[in-house]
Amino acid sequence: MQITPLIWAITIAVTIAFFVYEFFAHVRKPHEPGLGEAARWSAFYIVLALLFGVGIGMTSGWGYGGEYFAGYLTEKALSIDNLFVFLLLMTSFAVPRVHQQKVLMIGIVIALIMRGGFIAAGAAVIDNFSWAFYGFGALLLVLAWRQAFGDHDADPADSRLMRLVRRVLPVTDTYHGDRLTVRQDGRRMATPMLLAILALGVVDLVFAVDSIPAIYGLTSEAYIVFTANVFALMGLRQLYFLIGGLLKRLVYLAQGLAVILAFIGVKLVLHALHVNELGFINGGEPVLWAPEIPIWLSLLFIGATVAVATVASLAKTRGAAPGTDADTDTDTDADSTGRSVPPSEPGTTADDAARR
C-alpha cells in the first residue's frame, strides 16, 4: 500500500478540520444533545467510515479494504466498551450533562494524539523487529483474560493518580460552568472539570495499550491503523448520548471483546511463527506449518462475535424494568469523591446534592 507524505498530510489535516468543526458547531455552546441530533451524527460518521473503507478497497485492493473494515469494527467495539468507563467517570465526578460534551471532546482528542504516538512506535517496532509479534500476541492474550475476568467497576475518580492530583492541586468544591481553572481568594484553583478531563486522559492511555496491538494484529499498514482509529473515535461523543441508557444492557460485551482479543492474539502468534527469526525457535527459521489466518476469516469472526455478544446481552436484559441496574447509573449524580448521591436540581452542586 503506497501512502505518500501528501496523503498523510491531507488525512491529518481533514481529521483536524473535523474536530475543529465539531468543537465550534456542537461543543463550544454547552448543551445536552437530543436523541435526534445524536442519532443523525452517529449515523453520519458510521456511513463516512464505511465509504472510506470502500474507497480503500477500490483504490488499493480489497485485501487492504478487508483489513480496514476488520480494524474499524474491532476499534469501534473497543470504543463502545470504553463508554462504560466514560459513563462511570461522568457519574463519579458529577459532571453536569450540559458540559459532558466538552469533557468527551477533549478526551477523544487526547486519545487520538496518544494513539498516534502508539501507532508510530508500533510501526517502527514491527518494521525492524519481527519478534515483536510474539510480544503483541502475548499481551493481547493477557488483556483478553483481564477483559473477561477483571474488575470493570473501578472508580476513576478515586484512583491513585486522582488522589495525588488532589493533594498537589487546589481544587474547588463546585463546577464553574465549563471552566478548567478559576481564581479564588487570590490563588488559581483547578475545577472538578479539569480533574475529569485528566482522568479521561489516563483512561484513554490505558485503552490505547490494548487497542493498538489489537489492530496491528489485523494489518501492518500504519495508515489503515490510523484511519480506523480516527473513524472509531469520530462519533463516539454522539454515540455516548445515543446509547448511554443501553450500555448497562450490554452485559456480555466484555466477554465478546475478550474473545476477539484472544483471537487476534493467537493470530499474531501464528504470524510470528510464520515469519520467525528467533534462533531458539525452529533454529531461527520460519515455522512453515503455522497457518496464516486470512483477513476475510478475521472480519467474519469479529463481526459474528460482536453480533452474538450484542444479541445475547439484549436477550438476557430484555424487559428490564425502570429503576434496575440498566437505568440507575444514568439517574444518579456523585460528589467529587466519587460517592453516589441523588440527582441534583439545575444550578446545584455535587456537595449541595450530597447534603440533601
Side-chain angles (χ1 to χ4, degrees), residues 96-318:
R97 293 283 289 182
V98 295
H99 298 311
Q100 289 183 7
Q101 282 205 97
K102 183 173 183 178
V103 175
L104 288 169
M105 181 73 172
I106 296 176
I108 288 170
V109 171
I110 292 173
L112 190 56
I113 292 173
M114 287 193 295
R115 291 189 188 194
F118 273 79
I119 290 168
V125 170
I126 288 174
D127 286 343
N128 293 281
F129 306 102
S130 61
W131 52 261
F133 289 112
Y134 287 110
F136 281 179
L139 174 62
L140 287 176
L141 292 174
V142 172
L143 292 172
W145 176 269
R146 292 180 58 185
Q147 181 74 28
F149 304 106
D151 179 15
H152 296 276
D153 297 321
D155 187 352
D158 196 37
S159 65
R160 291 182 179 178
L161 178 61
M162 287 298 101
R163 292 197 294 269
L164 175 62
V165 170
R166 288 190 180 95
R167 287 199 296 266
V168 174
L169 287 179
V171 182
T172 63
D173 294 327
T174 61
Y175 284 86
H176 293 260
D178 61 352
R179 298 179 64 182
L180 304 183
T181 64
V182 293
R183 182 171 293 277
Q184 285 187 351
D185 301 325
R187 63 172 180 166
R188 179 65 61 178
M189 299 184 68
T191 68
M193 178 77 76
L194 178 60
L195 263 63
I197 291 173
L198 289 176
L200 196 61
V202 173
V203 168
D204 287 332
L205 178 60
V206 174
F207 288 155
V209 173
D210 60 2
S211 172
I212 302 306
I215 192 170
Y216 266 122
L218 300 168
T219 178
S220 59
E221 294 291 335
Y223 186 76
I224 292 178
V225 175
F226 178 76
T227 52
N229 270 273
V230 167
F231 281 112
L233 291 174
M234 279 184 173
L236 188 61
R237 176 177 56 83
Q238 293 88 348
L239 196 63
Y240 171 86
F241 291 99
L242 180 63
I243 68 171
L246 295 176
L247 285 175
K248 285 296 181 180
R249 293 192 60 189
L250 301 178
V251 293
Y252 294 129
L253 181 61
Q255 287 74 19
L257 290 175
V259 171
I260 292 173
L261 291 176
F263 171 81
I264 299 175
V266 170
K267 182 178 185 296
L268 272 172
V269 172
L270 290 174
H271 177 72
L273 290 170
H274 197 74
V275 298
N276 177 64
E277 294 178 349
L278 295 180
F280 57 87
I281 297 178
N282 198 37
E285 297 296 324
V287 181
L288 299 181
W289 58 260
E292 286 274 24
I293 298 177
I295 194 62
W296 66 265
L297 180 58
S298 299
L299 181 57
L300 181 63
F301 182 88
I302 293 167
T305 303
V306 171
V308 169
T310 302
V311 172
S313 296
L314 296 179
K316 180 177 176 61
T317 58
R318 180 170 48 193

